[in-house]
Amino acid sequence: MIRSAIVIGGGIAGMASAAVLGRMGASVTVLEQVPKLTEIGAGLQVSPNGLCVLRALGLEPELVNRGALRANAVSLRDYRSSGEVARLDLKRLAPDQAYYFVHRADLLDALTGAAKRASADIKLNQSVVEVLKGEIPEVVLANGDVLRAELVVGADGVHSVARSSLNPQSSAFFTKQVAWRAIVPNVVDQPNEARVYMGPGKHIVTYPLRGGMFVNLVAVEECDDWQDEGWRQNGDPDQLRETFAEFSGGAAPLLDSVKQTSKWGLFRHPVAARWFEQGIALVGDAAHPMLPFLAQGANMALEDAWVLGRALKAGDLRGYQSQRLKRVTKVVKTTQGNANRYHLRSGPIRLAAHLGLKSVGMVAPSLMLKPFDWLYRHDVTDKRS
């Protein structure tokens, strides 16, 4: 049984890993590079598969108390009108399943609390420059300090230092898509549903946050020219409105309400070839960076954390990757397919696709959720999984 672990990264993947590993009996230290944990304005969708982990950690009531909203539906809409093309009725999920809209800061606070209750030691302002694998792996900090533990968990995102210790450098490629993110007041009184406004080469996703006071808005456009990867770049709200000026219906008032926005290029990274070797394990985006078209980045990180903890408890860390690889690879592939469906160009193909969705939704609404059974019904906390 491994008794000591260092987790690199204090985001969703890192704090979830710290909470789970601590519950499994390890003494955990979390290294986060920022000097202070601050609220980052972003929404997350916690689907039933991710919620299984949060429930196992006892965090669902806390999230609800913080304003997490139980989602009723995903509404697919045409960008020029307010009418629905199709509707995924989330109330048709199994009775023990739920889907939530959560502010990222609220989820991170809840996971941080769980990590602290599991006796994790959270150290801020810790910049990691190198991770050395070995019988007792080492973490080298920018100030020259060297820390050691029996297990080092790389939860340090798409530019993971830990990942580079296990895998040769791999090249990401620009997907020719750029995304904008903003949180705005709920000026349209949007109910507890995610709305996807689908346009030629563009789409907008909106859903309410914090008891319905705010709306999370993500707008994606196809774009040939982009240089830098990263989502904390400031965007121009007027440019956002100009780019999506043809979007009407419920999206328009929300766009008009944007005061501040971030903008980032979407890059596709390969799934890591190695997730564990010589005392180093990868979780979340460090192992499998995700595009935002299936809302599974946080959920896959939660699943990773639980499976890693179970492998640690069983003394079989080498089995961690084999338990996760097939599922995560399928999620990555499905994510890209969603982007293509949202961005269909005007013409017969787009019209036929939308008519097909509307027909299925009207004749057999229960079938709209069926394609997601493999994703939402998966419970990593079930001992049989």
Side-chain angles (χ1 to χ4, degrees):
M1 172 67 182
I2 288 176
R3 300 189 181 281
S4 62
I6 294 173
V7 176
I8 306 172
I12 303 298
M15 290 304 182
S17 297
V20 172
L21 295 176
R23 285 165 58 99
M24 299 300 180
S27 175
V28 182
T29 300
V30 179
L31 304 178
E32 168 55 46
Q33 64 179 345
V34 300
K36 183 180 179 181
L37 294 176
T38 57
E39 178 173 299
I40 296 176
L44 294 172
Q45 298 179 50
V46 176
S47 52
N49 50 301
L51 183 62
C52 290
V53 176
L54 298 178
R55 282 177 170 169
L57 292 171
L59 298 180
E60 184 179 12
E62 179 179 349
L63 289 174
V64 172
N65 288 338
R66 289 174 176 268
L69 295 169
R70 188 160 181 165
N72 293 326
V74 176
S75 173
L76 304 179
R77 298 172 174 237
D78 185 84
Y79 73 109
R80 293 166 300 186
S81 66
S82 57
E84 278 189 335
V85 174
R87 186 175 185 85
L88 280 70
D89 186 357
L90 297 176
K91 296 193 294 296
R92 292 177 179 270
L93 290 168
D96 61 337
Q97 294 182 312
Y99 196 117
Y100 283 99
F101 302 135
V102 183
H103 196 291
R104 183 186 185 276
D106 296 335
L107 177 57
L108 185 56
D109 282 350
L111 288 169
T112 301
K116 290 178 178 178
R117 290 190 293 275
S119 301
D121 182 16
I122 300 170
K123 297 181 179 295
L124 303 179
N125 205 24
Q126 305 291 306
S127 178
V128 175
V129 296
E130 190 175 14
V131 180
L132 303 173
K133 57 189 178 184
E135 185 175 343
I136 301 294
E138 298 181 342
V139 176
V140 182
L141 303 180
N143 63 8
D145 289 349
V146 178
L147 307 179
R148 299 173 180 85
E150 294 173 83
L151 174 66
V152 173
V153 179
D156 45 343
V158 293
H159 301 297
S160 169
V161 176
R163 174 176 170 136
S164 63
S165 298
L166 302 186
N167 299 273
Q169 293 292 334
S170 57
S171 298
F173 66 89
F174 180 47
T175 64
K176 295 188 177 182
Q177 296 177 98
V178 172
W180 308 69
R181 189 198 302 270
I183 289 183
V184 299
N186 190 358
V187 295
V188 296
D189 197 24
Q190 180 164 329
N192 294 6
E193 63 185 33
R195 292 176 174 173
V196 183
Y197 298 90
M198 303 176 293
K202 303 174 185 177
H203 77 276
I204 294 174
V205 179
T206 65
Y207 53 87
L209 293 173
R210 288 186 168 166
M213 293 177 59
F214 302 99
V215 168
N216 188 73
L217 183 150
V218 178
V220 179
E221 62 166 316
E222 294 178 5
C223 175
D224 290 332
D225 183 28
W226 188 264
Q227 301 298 323
D228 300 320
E229 185 177 12
W231 65 272
R232 296 190 184 182
Q233 302 180 38
N234 291 328
D236 181 348
D238 289 332
Q239 185 186 10
L240 168 63
R241 282 184 278 272
E242 181 181 349
T243 302
F244 293 86
E246 69 270 37
F247 280 64
S248 55
L254 295 172
L255 288 169
D256 288 341
S257 300
V258 174
K259 304 296 184 187
Q260 186 175 14
T261 179
S262 59
K263 182 180 180 182
W264 77 106
L266 300 180
F267 285 71
R268 180 82 174 267
H269 296 254
V271 175
R274 291 187 183 87
W275 296 24
F276 175 78
E277 187 176 82
Q278 296 187 51
I280 302 173
L282 306 178
V283 294
D285 283 349
H288 46 75
M290 298 249 169
L291 294 172
F293 304 129
L294 194 60
Q296 283 299 304
N299 294 290
M300 288 298 107
L302 292 169
E303 287 190 10
D304 287 348
W306 191 270
V307 175
L308 179 64
R310 187 173 60 196
L312 179 145
K313 188 174 183 179
D316 181 27
L317 284 170
R318 292 191 177 278
Y320 161 60
Q321 177 173 348
S322 63
Q323 294 177 53
R324 295 294 296 150
L325 183 59
K326 183 178 179 181
R327 176 168 170 79
V328 165
T329 301
K330 185 175 181 178
V331 171
V332 170
K333 183 178 180 180
T334 305
T335 296
Q336 185 55 55
N338 263 10
N340 297 335
R341 284 186 287 273
Y342 292 162
H343 290 186
L344 290 174
R345 302 287 176 177
S346 297
I349 294 178
R350 187 172 193 270
L351 179 62
H354 284 197
L355 285 174
L357 282 171
K358 184 175 288 243
S359 298
V360 172
M362 292 176 64
V363 175
S366 60
L367 292 181
M368 294 295 293
L369 275 175
K370 193 69 177 173
F372 298 96
D373 279 353
W374 67 273
L375 181 59
Y376 295 160
R377 290 182 180 271
H378 190 78
D379 180 359
V380 295
T381 68
D382 189 328
K383 294 180 180 178
R384 297 168 295 179
S385 65

